[in-house]
């Protein structure tokens, strides 16, 4: 059914009146005096077991849960995260930035915010030709300065063409531990990390869900600049059209109160470059799209979820963001890469449901892609047709299947990362490779490569949830992984990596020259997939 919601009117206090009882428990000031009603409360019992002034857990020697930072145009922006604090614990931390010789370059103090338990710092006038290190210091007991928790990290200097690791869709394992993922991404030695969205699926505990992901990735993210994007699940909604059938800036599609969304956005994206056009939706939700310059590359991270309309003639980015993107693309000094939460076509032809492998040609899940609405997609792609000094590239996530696609009519390549933990949704693409086709909305595309969940895994487990406790080999075959993107002046390469059975496994790798001559688009495109099933070998 189509979405027809009106914007919700929120009254009263955020935590007392707008959020359900028992929800967002770790964000409440009296969290320590409440019974944890979180689903599988043992998952976060370490927070409630922690004593005042004590470390995060018995296996940890610090109270600092993680750090996120970006470093561009001589400016360091950093977010530092903590567990829920007791009233007796300090709300102040320090960050020291050191140059390559170990000499202090800058000191900053930051005040830890209630509810989200994070603080932010900004350091300007740092040389982009040098590398730095940093040290975060936190003294929890204002009456005992001898107790100091620290976290150290690295700030590598920028180089011309960055290697980018993109990762998202963090479903739930039976453990919070993500050390194999951390090790595999570290083994690739990236210059930049992009968290593409769906960092959590805990819709009633969004702040904890994001906290858990960053804490479990702490030993990776503390040493690499990281751009964070938020997708539908991060906002507590599966399949989100922010405008629905209302005005493009209405925010009518958001189910959660703006107060908790803005707290989460400040936590997750406050270290990103400053918003290109600071504004809010009509319901008060803040807007964060912007760009990030790294050497020879200018990354635009867009926000489609906030403005996307359900109407076939609707928008995806909204008028203001489209205007900003046009100005961004008019600059020919850099290679342009677009960071999107969701792909710009319905490349997913099928999904695994209770009735087996089913068609994804229409309905809500198909329209959740940025292949719809077509008018909004055409506006976006027309802007990208002449964007920067070479052909543009899109890096996306969301669909839980690793894909590379060429949009030959616009000269754009798109690579979509696999799910980091693929236990929520299984989506598949049975399009023929390297043949001009159209998706179910009539968008021209050419599938370059894909990795689908192994048929034996589908036969054995039948639903994604049943693989939570499966072996690493099974989790490899279901497609758990991340994407590595590299480029130079002449071409770009995407590689979908697995990590469950070792740090070096590659599902597929695709390269495309910037000046490649595409084949003509199809005149009579074949059907994208069987209407209610899948090719032989993929039927339950």
């Amino acid at each position: 059914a189509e979405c027809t919601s009106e914007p919700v009117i929120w009254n009263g206090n955020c935590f007392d009146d707008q959020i359900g009882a028992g929800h967002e428990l770790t964000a409440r000031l009296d969290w320590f005096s409440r019974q944890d009603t979180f689903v599988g409360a043992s998952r976060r019992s370490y927070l409630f077991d922690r004593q005042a002034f004590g470390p995060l857990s018995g296996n940890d020697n610090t109270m600092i849960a993680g750090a996120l930072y970006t470093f561009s145009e001589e400016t360091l922006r950093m977010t530092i995260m903590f567990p829920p604090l007791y009233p007796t614990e300090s709300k102040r931390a320090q960050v020291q930035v050191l140059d390559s010789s170990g000499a202090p370059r800058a000191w900053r103090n930051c005040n830890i915010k209630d509810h989200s338990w994070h603080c932010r710092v900004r350091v300007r006038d740092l040389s982009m030709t040098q590398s730095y290190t940093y040290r975060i210091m936190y003294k929890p007991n204002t009456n005992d300065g001898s107790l100091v928790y620290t976290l150290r990290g690295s700030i590598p200097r920028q180089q011309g063409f960055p290697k980018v690791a993109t990762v998202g869709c963090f479903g739930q394992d039976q453990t919070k531990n993500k050390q194999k993922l951390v090790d595999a991404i570290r083994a690739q030695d990236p210059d930049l990390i992009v968290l593409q969205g769906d960092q959590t699926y805990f819709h009633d505990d969004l702040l904890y869900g994001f906290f858990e992901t960053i804490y479990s990735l702490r030993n990776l993210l503390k040493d690499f600049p990281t751009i964070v994007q938020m997708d539908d699940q991060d906002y507590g909604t599966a399949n989100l059209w922010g405008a629905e059938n209302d005005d493009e800036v209405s925010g009518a599609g958001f189910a959660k109160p703006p107060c908790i969304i803005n707290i989460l956005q400040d936590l997750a994206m406050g270290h990103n470059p400053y918003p290109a056009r600071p504004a809010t939706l009509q319901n008060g939700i803040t807007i964060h799209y912007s760009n990030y310059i790294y050497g020879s590359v200018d990354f635009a991270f867009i926000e489609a979820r906030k403005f996307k309309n359900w109407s076939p003639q609707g928008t995806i980015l909204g008028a203001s963001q489209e205007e900003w993107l046009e100005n961004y693309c008019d600059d020919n000094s850099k290679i342009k890469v677009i960071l999107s939460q969701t792909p710009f076509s319905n490349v997913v032809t099928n999904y695994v449901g209770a009735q087996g492998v089913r068609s994804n040609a229409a309905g809500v899940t198909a329209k959740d892609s940025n292949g719809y609405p077509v008018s909004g997609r055409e506006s976006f792609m027309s802007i990208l047709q002449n964007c920067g000094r070479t052909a543009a590239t899109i890096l996306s996530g969301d669909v839980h299947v690793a894909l590379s696609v060429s949009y030959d009519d616009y000269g754009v390549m798109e690579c979509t990362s696999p799910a980091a933990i693929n236990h929520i949704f299984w989506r598949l693409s049975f399009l023929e490779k390297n043949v001009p086709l159209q998706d179910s909305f009539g968008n021209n595309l050419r599938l370059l490569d894909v990795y689908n969940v192994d048929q034996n895994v589908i036969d054995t487990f039948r639903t994604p949830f049943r693989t939570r406790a499966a072996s690493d080999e099974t989790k490899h075959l279901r497609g758990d992984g991340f994407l590595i993107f590299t480029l130079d002046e002449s071409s770009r390469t995407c590689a979908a990596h697995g990590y469950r059975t070792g740090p070096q496994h590659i599902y597929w790798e695709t390269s495309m020259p910037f000046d490649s001559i595409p084949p003509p688009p199809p005149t009579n495109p074949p059907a994208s997939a069987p209407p209610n099933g899948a090719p032989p070998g993929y039927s339950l």
Side-chain angles (χ1 to χ4, degrees):
E2 293 191 2
C3 301
T4 57
S5 299
E6 296 293 328
V8 177
I9 304 299
W10 299 96
N11 297 308
N13 177 272
C14 183
F15 286 91
D16 292 336
D17 304 307
Q18 297 181 15
I19 296 173
H23 297 175
E24 303 297 343
L25 188 59
T26 57
R28 299 175 185 267
L29 300 184
D30 61 348
W31 62 272
F32 51 89
S33 65
R34 294 175 177 247
Q35 181 180 359
D36 192 2
T37 57
F38 179 66
V39 55
S42 61
R43 189 178 185 93
R44 65 179 184 190
S45 61
Y46 63 100
L47 295 180
F48 291 85
D49 292 341
R50 188 183 72 84
Q51 301 298 307
F53 313 128
L56 264 163
S57 71
N59 298 322
D60 206 338
N61 59 1
T62 186
M63 269 187 69
I64 303 167
L68 294 164
Y69 74 86
T70 55
F71 180 43
S72 182
E73 300 181 276
E74 300 184 336
T75 300
L76 171 71
R77 295 169 62 93
M78 179 179 289
T79 291
I80 304 134
M81 296 173 58
F82 298 85
L85 298 181
Y86 289 93
T88 54
E89 291 179 317
S90 172
K91 300 285 183 64
R92 196 170 177 85
Q94 286 186 323
V95 179
Q96 182 184 40
V97 178
L98 304 99
D99 64 23
S100 56
S101 70
R105 180 65 176 77
W107 284 86
R108 294 292 186 272
N109 294 317
C110 62
N111 296 317
I112 301 170
K113 299 183 179 185
D114 288 337
H115 307 300
S116 55
W117 315 112
H118 81 283
C119 65
R120 295 207 318 264
V121 298
R122 181 177 61 185
V123 181
R124 292 174 170 170
D125 301 323
L126 293 175
S127 172
M128 299 307 299
T129 63
Q130 294 187 31
S131 60
Y132 298 90
T133 59
Y134 65 88
R135 180 174 61 173
I136 303 168
M137 290 162 286
Y138 175 62
K139 299 178 180 180
N141 190 344
T142 57
N143 297 316
D144 180 8
S146 64
L147 179 59
V148 183
Y149 292 111
T150 63
L151 182 68
R152 297 175 182 269
S154 301
I155 307 171
R157 73 179 180 90
Q158 285 196 3
Q159 304 182 63
F161 295 98
K163 175 188 282 190
V164 184
T166 68
V167 60
C169 300
F170 291 87
Q172 304 165 33
D173 275 337
Q174 289 188 313
T175 172
K176 300 181 295 294
N177 189 304
K178 297 181 181 64
Q179 191 60 46
K180 288 187 176 182
L181 177 60
V182 169
D183 291 344
I185 295 178
R186 269 195 172 277
Q188 295 302 315
D189 194 24
D191 300 298
L192 175 66
I193 294 173
V194 180
L195 299 185
Q196 293 183 300
D198 293 349
Q199 275 77 238
T200 180
Y201 292 83
F202 296 142
H203 286 187
D204 294 328
D205 289 270
L206 297 172
L207 286 161
Y208 171 73
F210 184 77
F211 171 93
E212 179 185 287
T213 296
I214 302 306
Y215 180 35
S216 64
L217 299 175
R218 178 181 63 188
N219 290 336
L220 172 68
L221 303 179
K222 69 183 183 67
D223 292 325
F224 300 96
T226 302
I227 295 171
V228 176
Q229 297 181 285
M230 291 175 60
D231 202 8
D232 53 348
Q233 307 290 342
D234 301 304
Y235 290 112
T237 304
N239 303 328
L240 174 60
W241 297 264
E244 293 203 343
N245 280 333
D246 211 306
D247 187 88
E248 65 184 39
V249 294
S250 67
F254 286 88
K256 297 289 185 179
C259 64
I260 199 68
I261 288 176
N262 286 341
I263 290 172
L264 179 57
Q265 290 189 142
D266 189 56
L267 171 66
M269 299 191 292
H271 70 289
N272 285 349
Y274 199 65
R277 294 188 172 180
T280 63
L281 302 178
Q282 291 171 1
N283 63 356
I285 292 175
T286 52
I287 295 168
H288 292 266
Y289 61 82
S290 189
N291 67 301
Y292 180 80
I293 295 174
Y294 187 112
S296 300
V297 184
D298 192 353
F299 296 88
F301 46 96
I302 61 174
E303 291 189 302
R305 292 293 187 186
K306 288 176 179 172
F307 307 96
K308 187 172 178 177
N309 194 283
W310 184 264
S311 166
Q313 289 75 45
T315 183
I316 290 179
L317 297 187
S320 181
Q321 188 173 189
E322 283 186 1
E323 181 184 33
W324 165 77
L325 190 65
E326 287 178 349
N327 293 332
Y328 161 89
C329 285
D330 286 342
D331 170 27
N332 293 322
S333 65
K334 305 283 184 182
I335 295 174
K336 304 293 186 173
V337 176
I338 313 301
L339 305 178
S340 171
Q341 295 89 337
T342 307
F344 277 84
S345 60
N346 183 32
V347 192
V348 173
T349 60
N350 300 81
Y351 65 94
V352 179
Q355 302 302 315
V357 178
R358 310 298 289 174
S359 171
N360 192 57
V364 169
T365 56
K367 293 179 179 180
D368 186 57
S369 76
N370 283 338
Y372 180 91
V374 173
S375 61
R377 191 257 187 189
E378 289 177 349
S379 296
F380 171 80
M381 296 300 293
S382 295
I383 296 172
L384 259 60
Q385 193 165 16
N386 295 288
C387 188
R389 72 177 190 229
T390 64
T393 306
I394 305 170
L395 303 180
S396 58
D398 182 55
V399 292
H400 300 246
V401 56
L403 300 155
S404 59
V405 179
S406 178
Y407 303 121
D408 295 328
D409 42 352
Y410 296 100
V412 172
M413 178 185 185
E414 179 168 39
C415 299
T416 302
S417 61
I421 303 174
N422 196 18
H423 109 283
I424 301 290
F425 305 110
W426 285 344
R427 293 175 178 138
L428 313 166
S429 181
F430 297 120
L431 295 178
E432 186 177 353
K433 293 181 186 178
N434 212 32
V435 173
L437 300 169
Q438 287 186 346
D439 70 4
S440 57
F441 301 116
N443 300 308
N444 294 327
L445 63 93
R446 183 162 51 93
L447 178 66
L448 303 177
D449 219 329
V450 61
Y451 178 83
N452 289 317
V453 178
D454 186 88
Q455 176 63 40
N456 290 330
V457 174
I458 297 175
D459 288 343
T460 302
F461 295 93
R462 303 184 72 81
T463 66
F465 185 81
R466 294 174 181 171
T467 60
R468 282 187 69 188
S471 67
D472 280 336
E473 177 64 24
T474 293
K475 292 176 180 179
H476 169 72
L477 293 174
R478 74 182 183 185
D480 290 17
F482 58 94
L483 190 83
I484 292 292
F485 172 71
T486 56
L487 73 165
D488 56 27
E489 285 288 355
S490 61
S491 67
R492 52 264 167 97
T493 298
C494 295
H497 287 248
Y499 66 92
R500 292 291 190 175
T501 56
Q504 302 300 329
H505 188 92
I506 297 178
Y507 292 117
W508 54 255
E509 182 171 286
T510 303
S511 296
M512 178 177 287
F514 284 118
D515 60 354
S516 61
I517 300 175
T523 54
N524 295 298
S528 61
N532 244 343
Y538 272 88
S539 57
L540 291 181

